[in-house]
Amino acid sequence: MTGRYEKGDEPVPGYWLESFLGQGGFGQVWKAVAPGGTEAALKIISLSGKQGLKEFRALRLVKRIRHPNLVPIFAYWLKDDAGNMIDESVANVGDLEPRDTMVLPATGTIKPNLRETAPRPTELIMAMGLGEKDLSRRLEECRDQGLPGIPADELLGYMEDSARAIDYLNSPKQNLGGESIAVQHCDIKPFNIMIVGGAAQVCDFGLARMLGDVRKTATAAGTVAYVAPECLSTCEPSSSTDQYSLAVTYVELRTGRLPYKSEVFSDVVSAVLKGALDLSDLSPAEQVVIRRATALDPMARYRSTMVMVHELKRAVEQPELAVTAPYRQPRRSPLPALIAVLLLVGIAAGGWYAWPQVNQWWSERTQQKSDNKVAQHVDDAKDKEDDVRPVDNEANERKAREKREGAEKEKQLAEQQAQQMREQEESRKRDEVKTLTDEATKLFDAQKFDESIKVVNRAIKLAPQEASLFLLRGTCYLRNEDYSRAIDDLSQSILLDPRDPRAFSRRAAARIEQGDNQAAISDLTAAINIDPDARDYTSRADAYIAIGHYSPAIEDLTDAIRLDSDSAEAHVKRGRAYSTEHRYPSAIQDFNDALQRDANDPDTLGNLAMLLAMVPDDTVRDGKRAVTLANRGCELTGQKDPWLLDVLAAAYAEIGKFDDAIRTEKRALELQSDADVRSNYEERLKLYSSGNPYRLPR
């Protein structure tokens, strides 16, 4: 059961429930204070019912999928009836598969289920990104303002963000279990699209399905008002199922109502299966787009959800350019059916008495058709005679033809000259833009950022659609610490060229400086998806650490080390993350690896010395080496770094030199100005004065 939690509870370590957000058949959602004082959403799910099992299946499928328009999953935990944490690797999750066997999707191999005696989880807790509101709440706000729905320009932005997430999920590039597969969300609706920092993120993967998964669920249908017809008729999603659901979502958010004349359950199901959606509140151009996106045949829909959204934008902004009606099959002549009806009516009304009249009508019509054919043959023969007669005005026709040909040549020549002039002008602009860009780049390299911005401004006037110019100017603003303008320019660069990872990376840097680490994580995820880079993994780890999420930070730093094995920085940061989680042996190994790459880095020397002097494990501590390392760090910093002096004092205390420890700690106190840090130093000084060393917590 999940009903026992209250405000102020700590259901998992480090997460304190702050306010209740909602409840459904699956469990509860709370706003929680996460480690580091940040905010997160905690979803508490009972595993005793089918919905809970669906949630866990979906979590296992999507837990490593990251995209800036998908609500991130930070961590999850399993608990038993007594509230104890269970390690997933040993938990009895057999009910998520058939009772006696387990099917492996990749091969179809069947093997015995060996977990019958393992601990049984009854509760799943997920920590996720926290949105400001969902789109259903935004629709309510617009209605309260007297609007029928969300304004088109605002709504299309949310639809574009959602389409990016859907197309990313639907594309067969999710590397899960060693194979690339596509994922269908299967429950796209306004409640499952969150607004985060003005952008949209798709959440709630409780019905997510792999396309091609051999395991079948009872139904692939999500909320019936938004579900695609194939999910109702075959219980299987198609590659465009989520596109259909987003199209219905658009109709509701645009018009303020669902596209059904009746919202009785059976009527809605019937309308979905028949393709009888009521789109009368949309403009004709929008109706054309939605009709195609909600076609009964999944193959008739758009090739991607983003294409659908782009067509919607065109339908709203330039309806005159949109197709006004879908293609229809040519209508057949009703004559054969009419004849059949007449025959049946005649027989029914007067029996064989009516047959002579019908027979006479048919004979007259047959004769008329024959006469028409004869007349057509006569006309064809006359045409052939005309073709062989000499033409009296042949000379006049030749002159007219030559005149037309001459005018056409003059027109072509004029068009060629105009095209050449346009090309010359474009070439001149390109050359001027290149010259200005080179000049601005040199000024940037010389750290003359204000002057570089002035030059870029001139270039942007000539080429306002050139993404690289906004990237350069945004980077200048970033170096000038003008973070708001930097974000504006880098956002414009992304809009013009969404495949350049540098713009995402640099916008993330600006957002980190503004303290918006969640948005920075989204940007860095986008950059990594485009082109995995060790620096982006390291930066994303910094953002995770800033909001207290150390496990994903360690994963990112591991990827950074894999991509750049010579990076001492990544080893140092991962070592700190390990230390925070009290995984001291792993931290010591990282600091040793970093020291091999840079033997004279005071930060690395101090971190390694601190652990060797302070860890609670007797088999790990090495006081003598700690003294050597800390002394080296103090020498490199001229004996003026209070933190390194504090570490050296701890190292002296570890080997029993308490007089040296007291003297060094007092020197650290003299140099330290931060009151909270001084308080820590004073506590350690009391320990050394009583003949005791300092120990880190286990």
Side-chain angles (χ1 to χ4, degrees):
M1 298 295 292
T2 60
R4 64 182 181 274
Y5 293 107
E6 298 178 353
K7 180 179 179 181
D9 286 350
E10 186 184 18
V12 291
Y15 287 82
W16 299 87
L17 301 184
E18 184 175 88
S19 60
F20 180 72
L21 298 180
Q23 181 165 352
F26 59 85
Q28 304 175 350
V29 180
W30 288 79
K31 177 181 178 182
V33 178
T38 58
E39 294 180 340
L42 272 194
K43 193 171 185 179
I44 304 171
I45 302 160
S46 171
L47 296 180
S48 60
K50 290 183 179 180
Q51 183 61 32
L53 300 183
K54 287 180 182 179
E55 291 280 346
F56 192 30
R57 286 194 192 104
L59 173 63
R60 297 167 102 187
L61 181 63
V62 303
K63 62 184 179 182
R64 292 188 63 83
I65 298 177
R66 293 173 178 169
H67 187 274
N69 296 114
L70 293 173
V71 171
I73 298 173
F74 299 133
Y76 68 94
W77 302 264
L78 294 171
K79 299 175 76 172
D80 62 15
D81 272 332
N84 300 316
M85 296 292 187
I86 303 176
D87 188 337
E88 183 186 356
S89 63
V90 299
N92 176 8
V93 292
D95 282 350
L96 299 181
E97 306 292 347
R99 184 66 180 169
D100 299 320
T101 60
M102 192 158 52
V103 181
L104 302 180
T107 63
T109 305
I110 297 178
K111 67 177 184 179
N113 191 338
L114 302 178
R115 292 188 175 179
E116 292 298 325
T117 60
R120 179 180 178 79
T122 59
E123 191 172 76
L124 168 67
I125 301 179
M126 300 165 55
M128 305 179 296
L130 182 66
E132 299 158 20
K133 68 190 78 169
D134 60 49
L135 289 188
S136 65
R137 177 66 182 277
R138 177 62 187 133
L139 176 59
E140 290 178 7
E141 292 176 348
C142 292
R143 284 171 169 170
D144 291 342
Q145 296 169 8
L147 300 173
I150 299 176
D153 54 346
E154 178 186 352
L155 176 58
L156 286 168
Y158 300 145
M159 292 294 102
E160 193 165 1
D161 292 339
S162 303
R164 287 195 190 95
I166 290 170
D167 286 346
Y168 182 74
L169 282 174
N170 294 172
S171 60
K173 58 186 177 183
Q174 313 308 332
N175 189 359
L176 305 174
E179 60 176 329
S180 294
I181 62 172
V183 175
Q184 285 288 323
H185 185 285
C186 292
D187 200 16
I188 296 294
K189 56 186 177 182
F191 291 100
N192 289 341
I193 302 175
M194 305 299 298
I195 299 176
V196 182
Q201 288 186 341
V202 174
C203 69
D204 201 338
F205 300 92
L207 290 171
R209 303 281 311 280
M210 289 187 295
L211 289 181
D213 190 350
V214 299
R215 291 171 291 182
K216 302 292 190 290
T217 57
T219 176
T223 308
V224 70
Y226 310 92
V227 75
E230 61 268 20
C231 295
L232 293 176
S233 59
T234 68
C235 294
E236 284 298 309
S238 70
S239 60
S240 59
T241 287
D242 291 339
Q243 179 187 139
Y244 181 104
S245 300
L246 190 68
V248 175
T249 296
Y250 173 83
V251 177
E252 181 184 16
L253 297 175
R254 178 90 162 94
T255 66
R257 70 174 185 88
L258 286 163
Y260 307 108
K261 292 182 178 179
S262 166
E263 294 190 13
V264 175
F265 182 86
S266 58
D267 293 340
V268 171
V269 171
S270 176
V272 170
L273 292 174
K274 293 178 181 178
L277 303 187
D278 179 13
L279 307 179
S280 57
D281 289 346
L282 294 175
S283 69
E286 289 172 284
Q287 289 184 36
V288 171
V289 179
I290 297 300
R291 287 286 181 209
R292 178 171 174 182
T294 57
L296 289 177
D297 180 4
M299 298 302 293
R301 299 168 194 161
Y302 292 98
R303 66 178 184 274
S304 72
T305 309
M306 186 61 78
V307 172
M308 178 197 78
V309 174
H310 286 168
E311 289 300 310
L312 280 173
K313 290 182 72 174
R314 186 169 68 160
V316 171
E317 297 169 0
Q318 298 175 297
E320 71 280 359
L321 299 181
V323 179
T324 57
Y327 173 76
R328 295 172 183 252
Q329 293 289 346
R331 298 183 65 181
R332 295 183 179 181
S333 171
L335 184 59
L338 178 61
I339 293 170
V341 170
L342 286 172
L343 288 171
L344 292 173
V345 170
I347 293 171
W352 290 105
Y353 174 82
W355 176 249
Q357 287 84 348
V358 174
N359 187 49
Q360 180 181 356
W361 176 84
W362 177 257
S363 299
E364 291 173 355
R365 175 162 180 79
T366 303
Q367 182 62 42
Q368 182 182 359
K369 291 175 68 177
S370 177
D371 293 343
N372 288 343
K373 287 184 178 180
V374 172
Q376 183 63 46
H377 285 310
V378 172
D379 290 341
D380 290 344
K382 288 182 178 180
D383 289 342
K384 289 180 180 178
E385 290 177 3
D386 291 341
D387 289 343
V388 297
R389 291 175 183 170
V391 180
D392 296 335
N393 59 351
E394 183 177 345
N396 292 335
E397 287 188 2
R398 184 172 61 253
K399 290 180 181 179
R401 184 170 61 253
E402 290 174 351
K403 185 176 180 180
R404 288 195 301 271
E405 291 174 352
E408 185 65 27
K409 288 180 180 179
E410 290 179 0
K411 180 181 178 182
Q412 292 177 356
L413 181 60
E415 289 178 350
Q416 290 173 359
Q417 291 174 343
Q419 180 63 24
Q420 289 176 355
M421 292 177 65
R422 286 193 294 269
E423 290 175 354
Q424 290 172 358
E425 177 63 16
E426 289 298 321
S427 177
R428 183 193 66 78
K429 281 187 178 181
R430 284 195 299 270
D431 291 343
E432 187 174 354
V433 169
K434 184 180 183 304
T435 300
L436 291 170
T437 303
D438 291 343
E439 181 183 351
T441 302
K442 289 178 181 177
L443 291 168
F444 176 88
D445 292 339
Q447 299 189 14
K448 298 179 179 180
F449 305 121
D450 289 332
E451 295 179 34
S452 179
I453 289 170
K454 292 178 181 178
V455 176
V456 177
N457 288 341
R458 292 161 53 195
I460 288 176
K461 288 182 179 179
L462 295 171
Q465 300 300 314
E466 182 58 50
S468 62
L469 296 175
F470 290 96
L471 177 67
L472 177 54
R473 190 172 70 178
T475 309
C476 287
Y477 284 131
L478 179 63
R479 296 294 295 273
N480 264 351
E481 300 182 4
D482 189 346
Y483 302 121
S484 295
R485 288 185 177 179
I487 290 172
D488 289 343
D489 268 358
L490 294 167
S491 297
Q492 182 64 21
S493 177
I494 291 168
L495 182 64
L496 295 171
D497 183 7
R499 298 299 301 169
D500 189 342
R502 298 173 299 172
F504 286 103
S505 299
R506 295 173 193 179
R507 188 170 71 175
R511 285 174 162 170
I512 287 174
E513 292 296 336
Q514 288 188 330
D516 192 354
N517 291 288
Q518 194 63 64
I521 289 170
S522 296
D523 275 345
L524 290 163
T525 300
I528 290 168
N529 287 336
I530 296 168
D531 182 19
D533 183 87
R535 291 168 298 181
D536 289 332
Y537 276 113
T538 302
S539 296
R540 190 169 70 177
D542 289 340
Y544 276 128
I545 289 170
I547 60 176
H549 297 301
Y550 297 101
S551 294
I554 289 171
E555 289 183 14
D556 275 355
L557 291 166
T558 301
D559 284 329
I561 292 167
R562 174 178 55 81
L563 293 170
D564 183 6
S565 58
D566 293 329
S567 173
E569 178 189 18
H571 279 290
V572 169
K573 290 183 176 181
R574 190 172 68 174
R576 287 176 182 162
Y578 279 137
S579 297
T580 303
E581 293 201 327
H582 304 165
R583 296 163 66 178
Y584 299 124
S586 297
I588 289 172
Q589 181 61 54
D590 262 334
F591 290 132
N592 275 320
D593 290 340
L595 208 57
Q596 290 178 2
R597 290 158 175 78
D598 186 356
N600 292 316
D601 178 49
D603 191 38
T604 306
L605 291 164
N607 277 289
L608 183 55
M610 178 181 69
L611 294 181
L612 293 174
M614 299 180 184
V615 294
D617 189 345
D618 295 342
T619 63
V620 175
R621 289 195 307 277
D622 185 345
K624 290 183 178 179
R625 188 177 178 217
V627 170
T628 301
L629 294 169
N631 261 320
R632 176 62 179 154
C634 289
E635 290 172 2
L636 290 169
T637 56
Q639 307 290 335
K640 293 182 179 180
D641 188 322
W643 172 69
L644 283 166
L645 289 167
D646 175 62
V647 171
L648 179 58
Y652 279 137
E654 170 59 22
I655 62 174
K657 293 187 175 182
F658 290 104
D659 289 340
D660 290 335
I662 293 168
R663 173 179 52 79
T664 307
E665 195 68 59
K666 287 180 178 180
R667 174 61 178 157
L669 275 165
E670 290 174 2
L671 296 171
Q672 182 57 256
S673 58
D674 187 284
D676 292 335
V677 179
R678 284 178 58 84
S679 177
N680 293 332
Y681 288 3
E682 289 168 352
E683 289 296 323
R684 284 196 275 277
L685 182 58
K686 291 179 182 178
L687 281 174
Y688 306 152
S689 298
S690 62
N692 293 306
Y694 176 75
R695 293 285 178 265
L696 292 170
R698 289 188 178 277

